[in-house]
Amino acid sequence: MDTRAEDAPRALRAVMDDHIARGTAPGISVTTGTPGGDIETITAGDLAADAIVRIQSMTKPVTAVAALRMVQDGRLGLDDPIEAWLPELADRRVLRTPTSSLDDTEPAERPITLRHLLTNTSGYGMMTAPCPLQDAMIANRTQAGQEPVELGAQEWLEAVASLPLAFPPGTGWRYHHSFGLLGILLSRVAGGPLEGHLRESLFEPLGMADTGFVVPQEDAHRLPAAHRHDRDGALVQSEPAGAGFYVAPAAFDLSHAELVSTAADYSAFAHMLADGGRHGGRTILDPGLLSQLRTDQVPDAAKAADSFFPGFWDGTGWGWGVSVLTSGPHAGRYGWSGGLGTDMYIDPDGSFLVILTQVEMGPEVMGLFADLQ
């Protein structure tokens, strides 16, 4: 008998119970699995096993896989200019430096491609220091944060397109906005709402019945409250249970926005990746594309110290929609997190972990992730 297998759930539960007692989160869900093995979900506190949670940036791996399925079907090419479907992004202009004034620009030497979106190197993204471009993003409501999007997809796209690029496509890395553009691109190529395409391409084949951009009214009771920690470390509610932006009907077209999901649904997605892109005997993602997804795809020259938070590139790269550990004891591990305390990673041996809370990312939640990992 493998006593380690028996000890692992007890060890996870002990960590979870400890963090509930410390006030890290009101509820925590952890799902573990291996390719071809059992999937087990453990809950602590008041987060039900079937809770529908806001996964925020854990949407990025999902839209990346949806894009790669279009690549394997021949509907998109990795180096196709996206302006063929998004003419709003033709003839881009680039700031002479990322901190230049908005009128200090030059023509972009190359168009934005699908590869640039998947690698966050489109030239659009979160600015990490005060500058005119950051001010303009705040003013036109395209600056990313913990709050839901304020604009519908077309209005958001037009607002983004009104701004210059921070750097020529492929030469720098900035987080987030490339994946909003990717969602709109997929909807244009599919010729209809993104959620419908995701449902047909991924959610139905994987049995992800509760994943979408909003929670149906009849399931609103399954949406827990969202929280953040105040300056004293106390939990403060930021969105009520069963209400708010993520309850149907959608406020506007959410093709650029982020999903809700469940432990069972997201674990089915992770399990597919862990099992070499297969599910139920069917190939969902070509193994060659999956291999590239989980390999660092960002040129070293694009990895600036101010790309993201300090130290982001230390032993870490970025594949297609996921971060990739490039050194250390867990080299080869890949996955990504969501801003409301969610996380997913897959190890080279195919074992995976999905962590769900509904608490804004901060030192407390990062400590939980570290202890669980």
Side-chain angles (χ1 to χ4, degrees):
M1 180 181 296
D2 187 350
T3 57
R4 292 173 299 176
E6 291 185 346
D7 289 344
R10 287 197 290 267
L12 287 173
R13 180 170 293 282
V15 171
M16 295 162 69
D17 288 343
D18 177 55
H19 277 272
I20 295 293
R22 288 157 52 182
T24 299
I28 305 167
S29 167
V30 174
T31 303
T32 61
T34 58
D38 292 335
I39 297 174
E40 181 175 6
T41 296
I42 305 169
T43 62
D46 65 5
L47 190 63
D50 69 343
I52 302 175
V53 302
R54 310 157 186 85
I55 62 169
Q56 293 197 324
S57 284
M58 273 169 55
T59 302
K60 291 175 172 63
V62 176
T63 50
V65 169
L68 295 173
R69 280 179 58 77
M70 283 191 170
V71 171
Q72 70 188 24
D73 291 342
R75 302 173 72 181
L76 277 174
L78 286 167
D79 295 307
D80 286 349
I82 64 171
E83 62 193 48
W85 295 275
L86 301 178
E88 296 90 343
L89 297 179
D91 302 321
R92 294 293 81 201
R93 295 194 66 83
V94 184
L95 293 173
R96 292 189 185 276
T97 74
T99 57
S100 294
S101 63
L102 297 188
D103 57 0
D104 184 15
T105 64
E106 56 191 6
E109 296 180 357
R110 63 186 69 89
I112 300 169
T113 67
L114 173 60
R115 187 184 302 273
H116 295 144
L117 297 185
L118 290 167
T119 54
N120 279 320
T121 60
S122 68
Y124 288 116
M126 296 169 60
M127 304 306 292
T128 56
C131 61
L133 181 55
Q134 185 185 79
D135 293 341
M137 294 170 71
I138 293 171
N140 76 1
R141 297 187 288 172
T142 58
Q143 175 77 344
Q146 296 293 355
E147 300 302 319
V149 292
E150 297 182 57
L151 305 174
Q154 183 60 36
E155 190 178 1
W156 181 87
L157 172 61
E158 291 171 357
V160 169
S162 72
L163 302 172
L165 303 179
F167 44 77
T171 66
W173 195 96
R174 289 292 187 278
Y175 187 59
H176 188 72
H177 290 69
S178 292
F179 280 84
L181 297 173
L182 178 62
I184 299 172
L185 171 66
L186 296 183
S187 71
R188 296 269 178 98
V189 177
L194 178 59
E195 182 164 352
H197 172 69
L198 293 177
R199 194 160 302 287
E200 178 182 353
S201 178
L202 283 177
F203 301 161
E204 290 178 356
L206 294 175
M208 298 171 67
D210 291 314
T211 302
F213 286 109
V214 291
V215 181
Q217 288 280 351
E218 62 268 24
D219 289 320
H221 64 282
R222 296 169 59 191
L223 178 71
H227 293 82
R228 63 170 58 95
H229 287 96
D230 64 17
R231 292 183 178 180
D232 297 322
L235 285 168
V236 177
Q237 188 177 117
S238 56
E239 190 170 29
F245 180 86
Y246 288 97
V247 175
F252 34 61
D253 179 6
L254 295 174
S255 296
H256 60 318
E258 296 170 322
L259 296 164
V260 295
S261 191
T262 63
D265 280 11
Y266 208 90
S267 296
F269 175 75
H271 194 217
M272 176 272 296
L273 295 175
D275 202 22
R278 297 180 298 273
H279 177 79
R282 174 183 176 185
T283 296
I284 302 296
L285 182 61
D286 174 81
L289 289 172
L290 174 57
S291 178
Q292 294 175 65
L293 174 146
R294 64 191 188 198
T295 304
D296 185 13
Q297 299 288 332
V298 178
D300 288 343
K303 298 175 179 177
D306 65 350
S307 291
F308 204 20
F309 56 81
F312 175 68
W313 295 118
D314 295 345
T316 301
W318 183 266
W320 288 336
V322 294
S323 66
V324 182
L325 295 186
T326 56
S327 64
H330 299 293
R333 175 179 287 180
Y334 67 99
W336 197 232
S337 305
L340 273 173
T342 61
D343 188 48
M344 177 274 290
Y345 70 78
I346 301 168
D347 276 319
D349 66 359
S351 59
F352 67 88
L353 195 73
V354 176
I355 306 168
L356 303 179
T357 77
Q358 289 290 265
V359 179
E360 194 170 296
M361 201 73 80
E364 298 87 353
V365 172
M366 294 300 291
L368 168 68
F369 290 176
D371 289 346
L372 289 171
Q373 293 172 6

